[in-house]
């Protein structure tokens, strides 16, 4: 759910989490659950699932899933997987919309002792817009975007949007390397007590595959209003990620 070909993997793509998944969606980590996926016609899919909303990644999850009053996180998504023809070959893309509901009461922001359930909706898209000539169908320029909304009574982030570019094989002879540029913008709830209305981030990274088992990614991030506070200066973060697979 909320997948994206160009902004979905923190091990090979963007380092900033706001460009990996939609932060308005409270996905549980390592939770027990079930997912159903159907494709009624070629190119159109519908999927849905439910997972334990109280999961603890340090346990198996059976205690929280099946013991007592269990709380679950439900999500449903539908999307179109398309492919456009061009003079250089097919240009694949995907367009998704989804909604989610968290059956796990959270404290209302700014109101002690009152609880409410959380829900929201989201959309995500990715599209290859220009393809280099050759046999590799993924080599070329792609664009991506995300947007989402969550209940402002309980979610610190009310609305969110992100967009960016991804180019595979920009450097001649480096067909597996990826250059990525993305920007995200999150509007926070007025109830959350932040000193700014939003936090904005941008990232530029280059993922170099130096061996079949080794990838190195230098990255530069800029963050405006870190922690949604206007009392802090803009932050610049330089990073280097090394991913080794054995």
């Amino acid at each position: 759910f909320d997948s994206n070909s160009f902004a979905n993997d923190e091990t090979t793509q963007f380092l900033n989490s706001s460009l990996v998944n939609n932060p308005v969606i409270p996905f549980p980590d390592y939770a027990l659950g079930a997912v159903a996926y159907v494709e009624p016609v070629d190119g159109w899919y519908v999927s849905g699932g439910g997972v334990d909303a109280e999961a603890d990644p340090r346990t198996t999850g059976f205690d929280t899933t099946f013991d007592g009053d269990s709380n679950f996180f439900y999500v449903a998504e539908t999307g179109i997987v398309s492919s456009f023809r061009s003079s250089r070959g097919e240009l694949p893309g995907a367009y998704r919309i989804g909604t989610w509901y968290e059956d796990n009461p959270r404290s209302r922001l700014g109101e002690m002792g009152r609880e409410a359930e959380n829900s929201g909706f989201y959309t995500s898209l990715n599209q290859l817009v220009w393809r280099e000539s050759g046999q590799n169908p993924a080599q070329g320029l792609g664009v991506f975007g995300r947007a989402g909304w969550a209940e402002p009574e309980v979610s610190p982030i009310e609305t969110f949007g992100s967009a960016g570019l991804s180019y595979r094989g920009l450097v001649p002879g480096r067909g597996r390397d990826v250059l990525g540029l993305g920007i995200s913008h999150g509007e926070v709830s007025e109830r959350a007590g932040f000193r700014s209305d939003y936090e904005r981030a941008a990232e530029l990274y280059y993922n170099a595959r130096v061996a079949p088992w080794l990838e190195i990614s230098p990255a530069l991030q800029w963050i405006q209003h870190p922690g949604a506070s206007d009392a802090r200066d803009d932050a610049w973060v330089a990073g280097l990620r090394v991913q080794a697979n054995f």
Side-chain angles (χ1 to χ4, degrees), residues 106-127:
R106 296 174 178 263
S107 297
R108 290 179 181 264
L109 297 174
E111 298 183 29
M112 297 294 294
R114 298 190 62 191
E115 294 183 337
E117 294 168 350
N118 201 3
S119 62
F121 59 85
Y122 65 91
T123 183
S124 172
L125 67 91
N126 57 266
Q127 178 67 55

Side-chain angles (χ1 to χ4, degrees), residues 1-46:
F1 299 96
D2 186 41
S3 61
N4 198 293
S5 296
F6 306 127
N8 199 64
D9 186 353
E10 67 275 10
T11 65
T12 60
Q13 296 171 334
F14 293 97
L15 279 74
N16 192 298
S17 60
S18 68
L19 292 166
V20 176
N21 288 117
N22 198 323
V24 303
I25 310 174
F27 285 120
D29 289 329
Y30 302 103
L32 289 178
V35 173
Y37 178 96
V38 295
E39 197 168 334
V41 296
D42 188 32
W44 173 48
Y45 73 89
V46 179

